[in-house]
Structure formats: C-alpha cells, structure tokens
Amino acid sequence: MNNLAFANEEVITSGQVNILSGFLQSRKLQRIDTPSDRVCFRLDRNKPIIRIANGSVHEYPVRRSMVDKLLRWHHIDRWMLNKASNETAISFLNDLLLSIKSSNVRIYVENGDAKTITSNRYTEFFDDEVLKACADLKISTVSRTDKVLRIDSVVDARFQPAVGDDCGFGFTIFNSETGFHSLQISHYILRYVCSNGLIIKIPSIDKRLNYRNHYNLPTGNLKMFLENQLASIKSTRRSIIRRLERSTRTLIDPQLQKKALMLLRKINVNADMIRNEVLNARTEWELVNVVTAHARQQPVDLRLMLEQSAGRLFQKVYEN
C-alpha cells in the first residue's frame, strides 16, 4: 500500500482564522448516501479510485484519509498493509467495504476527491460550523488536515508549577469531519521556556457524550456544548495547576517511562536519543516535557496525538 498514489490532502498549518475561513467558504463539499455494496475501489495505474454505482456511476480519486477511515472502522492498523502489493491492498479494502454492517454509508467528496466514509448514524459537525461557533472566542491559530481541525486559543492565565517555570493556560478545540476525533475542548498548557504544549482532557458535562459526541450530540446543540465545555475549562484550572505542581516533585514510575517510549516510537527520531531523554527524566513533569518537546516538531496530526497522549500520561497517575 506504500506505493499507492493518493490524492493530495488540504493542509493548513498554524494559520490565521481568515485563511481557514477562506478555504472552507470556497471548497466544494459533496455528501453521497449510498448502500455500501454499491461502492468499490479500483486502480488507475497506481492511483486508487472509488466507484459509486447508485443509479448512475461516479468515480473519484481517493485521499489517504478515506482508506485510513475504512481501516479504523474495522479496527485495523495501516501497517498491516504496508508490504502488500497495490492489487492486494485494493482487494482487501473492497472486502472491508463488503463487511460493513450498516445498510447505508456516507461518502464525502471535497474538491473532487473522496476523503472519508462514515456511518449514517454519524452526526456531522462541519469545520465551518465549528469555526463560526467560535467567532466570539480569542483564537490564536488554527490548523487543519483531512483528519482534524484544531483551534488554539490565546494563551494567558500565567502560573508556575515550579519556581521560575512559567506556563500559560489556554484551550484547544478539535473536530473531525472524517471520523477520526470527536468534537472536544481540552486544556492547553504552554511552557514558555521551550514552547512545549500539553493537551489535558476535561470531564464531559454529560458523561454519555464522552468520546461519542458525533453520535449522541444533535447539531443544533453545538454552540451550547462549546459554552458548557468552556465553563468546565475555567472551573477545573485550579485542580490542574495543583496536579502540575505535584508532578514537578513526583519521581517517575518506571511504567510511565515505558509508555513514553512506546509513544515516541511513532516519530522518525533517533531511538537511542529518545531512550536516553526518557530515562534521564527524574520527575513526571520532566517526562511529560520530553514527549511534548518532540511533539511540536511534528506534522499537525502527529503533534496532536503526542500532545494528547502526553496529557493522558500526566493524568494517569492522578485519576481516581
């Protein structure tokens, strides 16, 4: 599958709101509802094409996010197909389409390319709707790939988890039109001395919505959901600060070191250097900063994954 030539994704990295807004207003987005057995992949030389035969036949170039979403649907990691030939990979993907239990699926086409496939139970929060709901917030930067929209607020509310270690509080909103992330707001903590960022999840107001907002939250409640989560951000800052202060004094559990090493294997950095950095960290706060230091150098999707994982690494010790 490494030899497949996917259609190019649209990427905005640390841009201004008007750049993202301009793209979202000008793009052409199409939703196609169809029985899953009317959909199949084929190859045009080394380019994957998706064919939809539902009344009439339409074909679209495929972006990588489309294939990754189909694999995710069936809980399959992409690496399992890395050594497969293009023909084998396409045949396997067609088998996955036939294995979908939903009678109907939704395929989204952006600017002429197929970029995802979702269940018809999936509630769409389109990126332009989320951006509009954030119009009154103090936004610093936005980033977007085919898999995630990330909106970072202005960082303020300075504090010091340890003497001389200045940090600031903000929040991060992320959404996925393609089914890779639920709509969420999380704490965002910036360490000024090195510009490392840490994403720490907040409790959901409604426990039933946790991780499944795109299935259980009606679209009309988008703005109310964001407002409730922002209130929760403010009310939980003090407890997060106390946790951070404790982490600067708490020696590392070896299990946390192992988890940090597993996380950092996902990036293309010298393994021995990473191992030395992890093993030389003395406190939990130092360990978290090893992960976030590497995160800021990564592409949008991988950076978000590492900063979220660092937050879970940090919270694991303190969860009741």
Side-chain angles (χ1 to χ4, degrees):
M1 196 170 83
N2 284 336
N3 296 321
L4 291 177
F6 292 101
N8 293 330
E9 68 173 325
E10 303 281 356
V11 178
I12 295 173
T13 304
S14 298
Q16 301 302 311
V17 172
N18 61 338
I19 296 175
L20 174 61
S21 179
F23 165 76
L24 294 175
Q25 289 175 13
S26 64
R27 69 172 174 167
K28 294 180 180 179
L29 189 64
Q30 180 184 3
R31 189 184 88 180
I32 301 172
D33 291 274
T34 181
S36 56
D37 60 3
R38 305 288 178 86
V39 182
C40 69
F41 291 97
R42 72 172 186 85
L43 279 174
D44 180 5
R45 296 184 180 180
N46 66 335
K47 297 178 181 179
I49 303 293
I50 195 160
R51 171 178 290 182
I52 304 171
N54 190 14
S56 57
V57 177
H58 297 277
E59 293 189 333
Y60 305 94
V62 173
R63 295 186 190 174
R64 183 180 289 277
S65 56
M66 173 83 174
V67 169
D68 285 351
K69 179 58 174 64
L70 183 59
L71 294 173
R72 183 186 178 98
W73 194 321
H74 292 279
H75 308 288
I76 296 171
D77 289 324
R78 190 202 302 169
W79 66 266
M80 296 179 66
L81 289 176
N82 280 350
K83 294 183 179 180
S85 67
N86 288 349
E87 292 74 15
T88 298
I90 291 298
S91 177
F92 181 70
L93 293 173
N94 281 325
D95 287 342
L96 294 184
L97 285 172
L98 293 173
S99 300
I100 291 176
K101 294 181 180 180
S102 299
S103 56
N104 274 36
V105 294
R106 289 175 177 168
I107 293 172
Y108 284 91
V109 178
E110 183 180 86
N111 293 337
D113 301 329
K115 75 168 190 173
T116 196
I117 179 170
T118 67
S119 163
N120 56 7
R121 296 184 297 109
Y122 187 81
T123 301
E124 300 96 345
F125 297 113
F126 293 109
D127 289 344
D128 49 352
E129 296 172 334
V130 176
L131 193 63
K132 183 178 179 180
C134 297
D136 296 331
L137 304 179
K138 294 180 179 180
I139 303 304
S140 174
T141 61
V142 293
S143 301
R144 183 185 184 271
T145 69
D146 281 346
K147 293 183 178 180
V148 66
L149 165 68
R150 175 172 179 168
I151 301 174
D152 289 322
S153 77
V154 171
V155 175
D156 50 19
R158 289 198 179 214
F159 69 99
Q160 290 187 347
V163 176
D165 194 352
D166 285 328
C167 295
F169 257 115
F171 58 85
T172 293
I173 300 172
F174 41 97
N175 179 58
S176 178
E177 295 180 332
T178 47
F180 290 89
H181 299 272
S182 63
L183 175 67
Q184 289 185 41
I185 303 183
S186 295
H187 290 285
Y188 183 74
I189 296 167
L190 177 69
R191 193 181 186 203
Y192 288 106
V193 68
C194 53
S195 299
N196 291 355
L198 175 63
I199 293 175
I200 299 178
K201 184 173 169 53
I202 60 172
S204 178
I205 298 299
D206 185 342
K207 298 297 184 182
R208 294 172 300 171
L209 301 182
N210 202 16
Y211 296 111
R212 297 187 62 81
N213 297 341
H214 280 274
Y215 291 92
N216 298 332
L217 182 64
T219 54
N221 290 351
L222 171 59
K223 192 167 181 62
M224 182 180 297
F225 170 79
L226 293 177
E227 290 172 351
N228 288 340
Q229 291 291 282
L230 286 172
S232 185
I233 284 279
K234 292 179 181 178
S235 66
T236 56
R237 277 185 176 179
R238 178 50 53 187
S239 64
I240 295 294
I241 289 174
R242 287 196 296 268
R243 292 178 179 185
L244 287 167
E245 290 171 345
R246 284 187 294 185
S247 74
T248 66
R249 303 186 299 269
T250 306
L251 297 180
I252 299 172
D253 183 326
Q255 291 300 316
L256 285 183
Q257 288 177 312
K258 291 181 181 178
K259 290 180 180 179
L261 286 171
M262 291 176 62
L263 283 173
L264 292 170
R265 285 176 190 158
K266 298 178 182 292
I267 63 178
N268 187 24
V269 179
N270 183 282
D272 289 335
M273 179 187 71
I274 288 177
R275 182 174 179 82
N276 287 335
E277 290 177 352
V278 169
L279 294 180
N280 286 333
R282 296 170 301 135
T283 66
E284 292 166 359
W285 180 236
E286 289 178 3
L287 181 63
V288 164
N289 277 288
V290 169
V291 177
T292 55
H294 288 291
R296 70 174 186 266
Q297 304 160 7
Q298 305 305 316
V300 175
D301 295 330
L302 188 52
R303 176 183 173 183
L304 176 61
M305 184 276 291
L306 286 173
E307 289 182 346
Q308 285 181 293
S309 297
R312 287 193 289 269
L313 195 70
F314 162 76
Q315 286 182 302
K316 179 77 174 175
V317 179
Y318 301 109
E319 287 175 346
N320 293 327

